[in-house]
Amino acid sequence: MTPKEVLKLAEEKNIRMIDLKFMDFIGIWQHFTIPISELNEDLFEDGQGFDGSSMRGWQPIHASDMIVIPDPTTAIVDPFMEVPTLSLICNIFDPITKEPYSRDPRNISMKAEAYLKSTGIGDTAYIGPEPEFFIFDDIRYSEGADHSFYFLDSEEGTWNTGRDEGPNLGYKPRHKEGYFPVPPTDSQHDLRTEMVLALEQVGIRVECQHHEVATAGQAEIDMRFEPLLKMGDQLQWFKYIIKNVARRWNKTVTFMPKPVFNDNGTGMHTHISIWKDGDPLFAGDGYGGMSEMGLHFIGGVLKHARALNAFTNPSTNSYKRLVPGFEAPINLAYSSRNRSASIRIPMYSSSPKAKRIELRFPDPSCNGYLAFSAILMAGLDGIQNKMDPGDPLDKDIYGLSPEELKSIPSAAGSLEEALAALKDDHEFLLKGDVFTQDVIDTWINYKTEKEVQPAKLRPTPYEFALYYDC
């Protein structure tokens, strides 16, 4: 869509407001809105100014002026605004140099796609994430010098089987038994269907929706794969739509990786494949029907996996899910069909077009633009350096003895470990100026100062249960 076509669409839809959306460095959509009278073709050239010092991880206050320039190809009528509103996703530019801003996550994903083409290896990286999430009825949390607590609740939480609900009708999924009984035990089918219809309304293709393993409203809605940049945009629309549809139902959604103790956490299994001139490049006659290129891609991801964790699992809460011996695959191995491996080669179809790899350690707390770009860069490094992924592991990894596990490396055990790995291993991300050294340093410093250190300083309620009477 061109700027002229955006203006025509706005006229046809009787649009009265223009919403300009963009991603902050950490991964939260931001926006501001202008009236339709301010929409003209110049906006797509000159952009709109804003204060970059108020964005997390961006500009200092003495150099705060930034510009957002909307991408006309992203024009979508917002399905939630009461007044007809056209939404445009924006790129960030420096007002002095007019150059794309290096810390703009969307710019990083655009550079990743350009770098892929420049290598001659392929021209398109298709990404297919499977974001899981929880739908709760109530969430309260607070922390201070004198207290710290959280409380969450769900009508279908198994802990509410004895609650007086006037009347309590039962049918609450037990821990780890939410995958996937029919209604009435699955009480949120209609809600998820409304989410699917809203996603389709903005042009997102959905493959399926279902209840997930955990009690208390864990859900999954799968999008059909798209090129990297487009999927980065879609993941933001996905979170926006899921949260806002839930609010219509007076419910709340979280993409936190581990909000419920002693039940499955929330992951975002991520499928990726590389194509060139319309042909898939990962299909071949090697293990799992993979090509040599596909196996080298796996080798690159395995080599750099602990550094990737800093982007694919970027919260301290991520590592409440990535725990040895539990449901998340932390052992850095690959296999066909085997869901206990951190990289799986899906075997649903024999079609070359379906051949891809599935990374099972990412979670949806990530910034999709950064996570997808980092995964691609790791795989490309594997292809360029012909990295051998080693032998596949076709056993149930959870059933291996301690001796057998010693030879299998594992993902980072904490955000602090992941950031340390990124500090030591990030040269592959700097190729093609996709990630700059400034981006790497800023990410590590921000996450350390704003998340790792504050979390380490605070006592937790469970520590009182363990140690108060010591």
Side-chain angles (χ1 to χ4, degrees):
M1 189 175 292
T2 65
K4 194 178 295 292
E5 289 170 333
V6 172
L7 269 62
K8 183 179 179 182
L9 174 66
E11 183 179 1
E12 291 173 352
K13 299 295 184 180
N14 194 30
I15 295 298
R16 296 173 61 187
M17 303 298 290
I18 306 298
D19 200 50
L20 303 179
K21 294 181 171 70
F22 59 96
M23 175 79 90
D24 73 9
F25 188 55
I26 307 306
I28 301 296
W29 241 2
Q30 310 292 331
H31 80 133
F32 62 92
T33 308
I34 61 176
I36 186 63
S37 59
E38 295 299 304
L39 178 66
N40 52 55
E41 290 189 55
D42 289 343
L43 181 66
F44 298 93
E45 288 288 334
D46 302 331
Q48 188 91 8
F50 74 101
D51 175 12
S53 68
S54 295
M55 293 293 106
R56 299 182 300 171
W58 277 8
Q59 292 295 94
I61 197 167
H62 64 273
S64 61
D65 286 355
M66 302 294 291
I67 293 175
V68 295
I69 298 181
D71 180 343
T73 67
T74 66
I76 290 174
V77 178
D78 192 297
F80 298 104
M81 302 301 181
E82 183 175 348
V83 172
T85 299
L86 189 68
S87 174
L88 290 161
I89 298 176
C90 301
N91 298 314
I92 312 301
F93 288 80
D94 185 290
I96 307 301
T97 66
K98 305 300 182 183
E99 292 293 318
Y101 185 44
S102 63
R103 296 185 194 174
D104 175 12
R106 194 169 192 264
N107 176 42
I108 291 171
S109 66
M110 293 169 71
K111 289 192 292 183
E113 288 192 324
Y115 177 70
L116 169 62
K117 293 176 183 177
S118 76
T119 64
I121 291 170
D123 52 39
T124 307
Y126 283 111
I127 307 290
E130 300 175 357
E132 299 169 351
F133 52 94
F134 275 90
I135 304 167
F136 294 135
D137 292 284
D138 188 31
I139 175 66
R140 289 176 277 137
Y141 51 90
S142 179
E143 66 87 24
D146 62 330
H147 72 281
S148 178
F149 79 89
Y150 71 89
F151 177 86
L152 56 84
D153 204 8
S154 165
E155 289 180 355
E156 66 163 47
T158 190
W159 53 81
N160 283 324
T161 55
R163 184 171 67 176
D164 183 359
E165 295 181 342
N168 189 322
L169 300 178
Y171 300 116
K172 302 179 191 299
R174 289 176 284 272
H175 285 296
K176 300 183 183 294
E177 294 187 20
Y179 189 87
F180 27 46
V182 298
T185 303
D186 177 5
S187 66
Q188 297 174 344
H189 173 85
D190 289 338
L191 169 54
R192 294 194 309 273
T193 293
E194 186 173 321
M195 291 171 174
V196 169
L197 296 178
L199 290 166
E200 291 182 330
Q201 187 178 338
V202 301
I204 295 176
R205 294 181 64 185
V206 174
E207 293 185 333
C208 69
Q209 62 96 337
H210 58 83
H211 203 288
E212 255 298 340
V213 174
T215 188
Q218 191 181 37
E220 180 177 317
I221 298 176
D222 294 340
M223 295 176 280
R224 188 167 178 80
F225 62 86
E226 294 288 357
L228 190 153
L229 174 63
K230 185 173 182 180
M231 184 52 75
D233 292 342
Q234 282 196 181
L235 182 59
Q236 289 312 113
W237 271 111
F238 182 93
K239 290 184 175 182
Y240 178 76
I241 286 170
I242 297 306
K243 291 176 181 178
N244 278 286
V245 171
R247 185 166 182 173
R248 282 178 180 170
W249 287 57
N250 200 32
K251 294 182 184 290
T252 180
V253 159
T254 183
F255 290 90
M256 262 181 79
K258 191 73 171 183
V260 177
F261 167 64
N262 207 31
D263 210 335
N264 279 36
T266 289
M268 188 177 74
H269 304 153
T270 300
H271 300 251
I272 184 168
S273 62
I274 294 178
W275 293 48
K276 186 174 184 179
D277 298 329
D279 294 322
L281 303 182
F282 280 4
D285 56 6
Y287 173 82
M290 294 293 286
S291 65
E292 185 178 50
M293 178 186 291
L295 291 171
H296 288 153
F297 190 99
I298 290 173
V301 172
L302 291 175
K303 176 179 172 58
H304 300 299
R306 289 172 65 86
L308 289 179
N309 287 149
F311 292 111
T312 60
N313 308 90
S315 69
T316 57
N317 185 252
S318 296
Y319 300 88
K320 302 295 193 297
R321 169 180 170 263
L322 293 180
V323 176
F326 287 83
E327 83 278 359
I330 61 126
N331 296 294
L332 300 177
Y334 74 102
S335 178
S336 65
R337 304 181 66 184
N338 186 352
R339 293 173 188 267
S340 67
S342 60
I343 295 180
R344 186 173 74 94
I345 302 169
M347 302 297 288
Y348 295 125
S349 171
S350 59
S351 169
K353 293 183 177 181
K355 190 53 61 179
R356 61 200 187 274
I357 69 168
E358 177 193 29
L359 279 69
R360 296 182 61 79
F361 52 80
D363 69 58
S365 70
C366 73
N367 179 330
Y369 296 116
L370 300 184
F372 302 152
S373 298
I375 292 167
L376 175 62
M377 295 301 289
L380 290 177
D381 191 50
I383 293 171
Q384 291 164 331
N385 291 287
K386 300 187 184 303
M387 292 181 185
D388 184 355
D391 294 329
L393 193 61
D394 291 329
K395 301 177 183 178
D396 179 0
I397 298 173
Y398 303 131
L400 296 181
S401 69
E403 287 299 317
E404 291 174 298
L405 283 172
K406 280 183 180 179
S407 62
I408 303 173
S410 62
S414 68
L415 180 56
E416 189 172 22
E417 283 186 23
L419 294 171
L422 178 63
K423 185 175 182 179
D424 292 338
D425 176 25
H426 60 261
E427 291 299 319
F428 69 99
L429 295 170
L430 303 180
K431 293 180 180 179
D433 199 39
V434 175
F435 288 77
T436 64
Q437 189 64 51
D438 171 71
V439 165
I440 301 296
D441 292 342
T442 302
W443 185 263
I444 293 171
N445 292 337
Y446 182 93
K447 287 285 178 177
T448 300
E449 294 173 9
K450 301 294 187 181
E451 298 178 31
V452 172
Q453 295 292 358
K456 288 171 69 174
L457 288 171
R458 285 161 169 78
T460 67
Y462 191 58
E463 288 175 319
F464 279 83
L466 287 173
Y467 308 126
Y468 187 77
D469 60 349
C470 64

